[in-house]
Amino acid sequence: MRKLVVFIALKLMLFTAFAQQRPHYSQYVQNMSVLNPAVTGIYKGRDLRFGLRTQWQGLENAPKTSYVSFSMPISFGGDMANYRSSDLGVTEPVDKDDMFDYSGSMAHHSIGALFINDKAGPLNRMTGNLTYAYHLAVGERSNLSVGVGLGVNRLGLDAQSLVFDEPDDPVTASSGQINKFTPDLNAGIYFYSATFYIGASMQQIIKNKLAFDGSFNTGKEVPHYFLTAGYQFWMGNNFSLTPSVMLKAVSPLPKAFDLNVKFAYRNNFWVGGGYRKNDAFFGNVGFNVANIVGVSYAYDYTTSELRTASSGSHEIALRLLF
């Protein structure tokens, strides 16, 4: 019976091996760190963010994703020894006048952490990364950063939640939680200023085997490649429009993309929406309070065949900037 549990786990993992292994996000623009470690420590101060996504409402055991991220610029040694961490990083322009006064950050180091929990049915994946980025000044108004994230994945299988022909089998009942620990490595690059950003990143650089038992090792993780870009247009002094795009490549799946647009008032209140290829349309709304607290919500309307059984997906994000 133990081999049967492992065999079922393998089938589940082989299914994910030919699909998106990392979770979807409709609000990654609000927290790019879930895609790219190079954004670590972009902003002045200590940046703490939380997110929760419940996908495909109405489907039993549908994916649920939560995350916590933290980052901050740091100063140590050399020319940076005379600066405080609060002197480093950039501040988002609130209006067009602020944009003209915007200046890029001095070159600096930054550190952070990212924790993600992604559960779908009997499978639960937890990822913890420590992140580092170095931000290089490019002229007076832009920066180029490179970053890495290194950590551990825990892929767990809840064997007790699996359904067998003999539900009272004592071997099955005692199987419990089966865990697999693997290393995780991500890397990225990010070029940004007051009005635009463009970034590229790679997740799951290490192609770990997806197996709970040494006898079954044909499944594996595959690298995920992301390319993101956006540009902010100002309409008068207080209103702005920011279209953006994300391109995603996960072999052997076809290339995918997200299209987004954000309409904001003084960067304090915004509404927006987007389209994820072959998956969903989504809309979002959010607000900032004194550039310290930010709250946003997104709703996905499913366009795939799952729409007949799902009422959509919900996602909420919270930001605290100290």
Side-chain angles (χ1 to χ4, degrees), residues 75-84:
S75 57
F76 59 87
D79 296 337
M80 292 292 98
N82 297 323
Y83 292 97
R84 299 174 301 172

Side-chain angles (χ1 to χ4, degrees), residues 42-56:
I42 279 185
Y43 300 108
K44 294 181 183 291
R46 297 168 176 83
D47 195 342
L48 179 63
R49 307 196 187 206
F50 305 87
L52 176 64
R53 178 177 176 83
T54 58
Q55 192 159 315
W56 301 329

Side-chain angles (χ1 to χ4, degrees), residues 44-105:
K44 294 181 183 291
R46 297 168 176 83
D47 195 342
L48 179 63
R49 307 196 187 206
F50 305 87
L52 176 64
R53 178 177 176 83
T54 58
Q55 192 159 315
W56 301 329
Q57 294 294 293
L59 292 179
E60 186 176 1
N61 296 320
K64 292 181 174 61
T65 305
S66 57
Y67 66 80
V68 179
S69 70
F70 174 80
S71 71
M72 61 178 290
I74 57 175
S75 57
F76 59 87
D79 296 337
M80 292 292 98
N82 297 323
Y83 292 97
R84 299 174 301 172
S85 296
S86 58
D87 295 325
L88 306 173
V90 299
T91 301
E92 289 183 288
V94 172
D95 54 31
K96 191 173 182 179
D97 289 341
D98 281 353
M99 185 197 70
F100 290 122
D101 295 333
Y102 176 96
S103 61
S105 173

Side-chain angles (χ1 to χ4, degrees), residues 110-131:
S110 56
I111 57 173
L114 175 65
F115 300 94
I116 301 173
N117 185 65
D118 188 37
K119 180 174 175 58
L123 289 175
N124 186 55
R125 175 178 176 139
M126 297 181 65
T127 301
N129 271 201
L130 296 178
T131 60

Side-chain angles (χ1 to χ4, degrees), residues 32 190 196-199 227-231 242-247 260:
M32 198 69 72
Y190 202 69
F196 71 87
Y197 67 85
I198 181 169
L227 180 64
T228 55
Y231 193 93
T242 307
S244 60
V245 61
M246 179 187 72
L247 305 178
N260 302 267

